[in-house]
Amino acid sequence: SQTIHQWPATLVQPVGSPLSLECTVEGTSNPNLYWYRQAAGRGLQLLFYSVGIGQISSEVPQNLSASRPQDRQFILSSKKLLLSDSGFYLCAWSILGHEQFFGPGTRLTVL
Amino acid sequence: GQQVMQIPQYQHVQEGEDFTTYCNSSTTLSNIQWYKQRPGGHPVFLIQLVKSGEVKKQKRLTFQFGEAKKNSSLHITATQTTDVGTYFCAENNAGGTSYGKLTFGQGTILTVHP
């Protein structure tokens, strides 16, 4: 069966510090991968998606970047965090663009 | 880009009452997916509707896709405390590609009072 992992589960970082969030998927090959941010427990905003290794599409201009160094690994990064980067970050995968399966998420607080 | 409007934002019900959330779009939707997110949790896929006028049921949940494919609804009969959470609709912008980008509605937060 397929599983998706995200870590860390929670993170408190000072403004201006770097960020690296990791997502890995098990039990499937060549998935589409997605990073979302959810603010204040409401709507999900798509940040990045990837259809293959090294292929990243950005949905919104921002302070973040994403990379896919391996087929089932998706990384969200920032060189310098802003207060507005706080939120709940969710990674998801899908096959052929059908239903998406979400990871447990990372709660990021930037102080 | 495509926007999916979801109402109401909040719904408080007594246990046993029914609940409905609605999604609307000004343009034709290719399909609609529904997700549930429990408090503190992550969204979980419930169902996908593709055909005009489609109706699907999952126990006490009934999902409908409008005839014009511009709206959809999720109805819960006789709510239980386990139904609490946020319900999202989302259009899957597959659009002939395999990217599967989802455009989410803002969600409806359901609370159920025992």
Side-chain angles (χ1 to χ4, degrees):
Chain A
S1 64
Q2 301 89 356
T3 55
I4 178 169
H5 304 279
Q6 280 187 250
W7 62 90
T10 60
L11 191 59
V12 180
Q13 292 284 100
V15 169
S17 63
L19 173 74
S20 181
L21 302 181
E22 188 162 344
C23 170
T24 58
V25 181
E26 296 177 358
T28 187
S29 295
N30 197 30
N32 292 349
L33 296 173
Y34 311 85
W35 276 112
Y36 291 88
R37 177 169 58 204
Q38 186 175 36
R42 293 306 305 277
L44 290 91
Q45 180 185 37
L46 178 62
L47 303 176
F48 302 94
Y49 69 92
S50 171
V51 299
I53 296 174
Q55 300 179 62
I56 307 295
S57 295
S58 175
E59 287 296 291
V60 293
Q62 59 204 313
N63 185 41
L64 302 168
S65 62
S67 62
R68 186 170 177 175
Q70 300 180 45
D71 181 46
R72 287 168 286 181
Q73 184 185 29
F74 207 21
I75 298 172
L76 184 69
S77 305
S78 174
K79 292 182 179 178
K80 288 186 178 181
L81 284 169
L82 306 172
L83 287 174
S84 58
D85 291 324
S86 294
F88 189 37
Y89 288 84
L90 290 155
C91 179
W93 69 272
S94 74
I95 293 295
L96 297 178
H98 296 311
E99 68 265 28
Q100 292 189 11
F101 300 91
F102 287 81
T106 295
R107 296 196 182 278
L108 172 65
T109 302
V110 182
L111 301 175
Chain B
Q2 178 70 280
Q3 285 196 344
V4 179
M5 308 303 294
Q6 191 172 353
I7 57 171
Q9 290 187 21
Y10 304 91
Q11 186 75 58
H12 310 283
V13 300
Q14 288 292 130
E15 190 172 20
E17 292 181 338
D18 292 355
F19 160 76
T20 305
T21 175
Y22 302 90
C23 277
N24 297 288
S25 172
S26 58
T27 58
T28 302
L29 299 165
S30 54
N31 58 68
I32 197 86
Q33 297 182 359
W34 286 92
Y35 291 79
K36 176 184 178 181
Q37 184 177 22
R38 294 181 183 275
H42 57 277
V44 174
F45 174 79
L46 294 176
I47 210 160
Q48 175 167 286
L49 305 173
V50 179
K51 299 177 182 177
S52 168
E54 190 169 13
V55 178
K56 289 187 177 180
K57 293 189 175 184
Q58 291 179 351
K59 297 183 180 179
R60 295 178 294 104
L61 277 61
T62 302
F63 304 84
Q64 292 188 330
F65 203 6
E67 292 290 343
K69 299 183 71 174
K70 289 185 176 182
N71 58 76
S72 180
S73 65
L74 158 59
H75 179 83
I76 302 178
T77 303
T79 55
Q80 301 175 358
T81 54
T82 53
D83 294 325
V84 298
T86 304
Y87 291 86
F88 293 98
C89 61
E91 184 194 21
N92 185 351
N93 300 326
T97 71
S98 62
Y99 297 161
K101 294 188 295 180
L102 294 181
T103 301
F104 280 85
Q106 285 303 300
T108 296
I109 298 175
L110 172 65
T111 56
V112 180
H113 300 287

